[in-house]
Amino acid sequence: MRVVLLGPPGAGKGTQAQLIAEQLGVPAISTGDIFRANVSGQTELGQKAKAYMDAGDLVPDEITVAMVKDRLAEPDAEEGFLLDGFPRTISQAEQLRSSLGELGQSLDRVIELVVDEDELVRRLSGRRMLVDGEMVQRDDDKPETVRHRLGVYREQTAPLSGFYDSEGRLSRIDAIGSVEEVTARAMKALGVDKPGQSSSD
Ligand code: AMP
């Protein structure tokens, strides 16, 4: 199954991506994670991406799309994948559609996690991640950057909801609730009732 997980920063995409991908038996591919690994590893890609990430801006499409194409060409993504944090612009979505089209593939479903903005700000300001055994705040989770990232989402990424809805592929799900409840809503939207089994089987 080929799935995109859409939703604003703080909606719980990373957590849900891992859980949903595990249940579907496909790799979870997070562009944010790939960028962060490249920044820590001080690779050329990381050096190009860092300033945009620190500012809470999107990394330019040409860098991001090339990176995703490479990742999707790896053998583990052949039978399916769950994309977390990509696409984030209409142009990225169009390029994803044409790259998949060249392989005779298409997306099966786009799941949008819906959370209101006050809740997002609350979640992001309190969010911490584990780095070298310590809980730290991501640089781009600082309050001013959070507000900027939400603005970027509203302007550049939110239009994807209409884009995928018009293709008939969108399921919007309420992302307020326990982690398990949200995963269950996503699996239902994907038509999968039990781990690894499709309801149409
Ligand atoms: P995330 O972990 O998904 O919130 O991503 C962290 C940061 O990585 C974003 O604020 C962007 O700077 C960059 N990034 C991740 N995915 C994309 C994408 N699809 N297009 C452009 N920039 C991205």
Side-chain angles (χ1 to χ4, degrees):
M1 202 178 260
R2 298 181 177 86
V3 179
V4 162
L5 193 59
L6 196 65
K13 283 199 304 299
T15 306
Q16 291 301 332
Q18 293 298 332
L19 294 167
I20 298 166
E22 194 177 307
Q23 295 201 23
L24 292 176
V26 297
I29 300 176
S30 154
T31 42
D33 283 351
I34 303 176
F35 280 133
R36 277 185 291 278
N38 277 276
V39 170
S40 328
Q42 299 182 333
T43 66
E44 198 183 325
L45 177 69
Q47 280 163 11
K48 283 187 194 154
K50 187 174 186 324
Y52 298 102
M53 295 174 74
D54 286 348
D57 285 323
L58 295 184
V59 178
D61 284 351
E62 56 278 16
I63 299 175
T64 310
V65 171
M67 178 178 91
V68 172
K69 273 191 175 176
D70 284 350
R71 179 62 189 88
L72 291 181
E74 288 185 25
D76 66 333
E78 211 168 293
E79 297 298 321
F81 52 76
L82 185 141
L83 282 170
D84 156 21
F86 183 93
R88 255 176 157 101
T89 63
I90 296 281
S91 161
Q92 290 180 7
E94 285 169 342
Q95 293 184 69
L96 175 64
R97 183 167 58 189
S98 68
S99 320
L100 291 176
E102 283 165 20
L103 300 168
Q105 300 172 354
S106 59
L107 291 175
D108 293 297
R109 202 85 214 138
V110 176
I111 303 283
E112 180 180 353
L113 300 180
V114 180
V115 182
D116 72 69
E117 205 159 309
D118 288 347
E119 173 68 15
L120 292 174
V121 174
R122 238 192 328 273
R123 288 186 186 182
L124 287 165
S125 339
R127 179 160 85 168
R128 297 291 180 275
M129 61 175 190
L130 194 65
V131 176
D132 298 333
E134 254 184 274
M135 297 305 285
V136 297
Q137 186 170 45
R138 265 170 57 171
D139 283 341
D140 61 355
D141 279 348
K142 305 261 153 69
E144 0 21 294
T145 319
V146 160
R147 270 189 293 277
H148 182 64
R149 284 165 65 210
L150 289 172
V152 167
Y153 185 84
R154 226 181 292 118
E155 281 169 30
Q156 303 195 55
T157 309
L160 289 178
S161 184
F163 178 92
Y164 285 122
D165 196 25
S166 68
E167 286 189 344
R169 293 182 206 278
L170 185 76
S171 299
R172 301 180 88 232
I173 66 167
D174 177 7
I176 305 266
S178 71
V179 169
E180 295 75 20
E181 279 165 352
V182 177
T183 310
R185 286 175 203 141
M187 297 314 288
K188 192 163 173 229
L190 291 168
V192 181
D193 302 323
K194 286 191 210 145
Q197 245 187 343
S198 153
S199 58
S200 58
D201 283 350

